[in-house]
Amino acid sequence: VEDNSIFPLKHEIGEITIEPIDGKSRVTWVSHARVEIPLLGPFLARRLESSSGEAFLTILKGIDSAN
């Protein structure tokens, strides 16, 4: 994650948990990271969080449609 970021990023934790529920799967994704740019870091982190979440959801939808 850190190597592929366009920002100086400190990735502290990344975790994906998959649990079966009523014949389906619940996927929980937890990721904590900091953009290490003074003053702009928190703003850029929120933008990164939004786009990362959308990308992960797109991946999950692709997996679901393949089944």
Side-chain angles (χ1 to χ4, degrees):
V1 171
E2 292 176 0
D3 293 340
N4 293 325
S5 176
I6 59 174
F7 307 115
L9 184 70
K10 177 64 178 167
H11 191 249
E12 298 168 344
I13 186 172
E15 179 177 288
I16 298 173
T17 304
I18 303 171
E19 55 186 309
I21 297 179
D22 299 328
K24 297 183 178 183
S25 297
R26 173 181 289 161
V27 179
T28 304
W29 172 40
V30 177
S31 183
H32 294 279
R34 286 190 325 264
V35 178
E36 297 187 321
I37 299 176
L39 302 175
L40 292 177
F43 169 76
L44 295 173
R46 284 191 297 276
R47 297 285 306 234
L48 183 62
E49 178 182 337
S50 176
S51 63
S52 297
E54 291 172 14
F56 190 69
L57 186 57
T58 299
I59 292 168
L60 290 177
K61 286 180 179 178
I63 292 169
D64 189 41
S65 67
N67 291 323

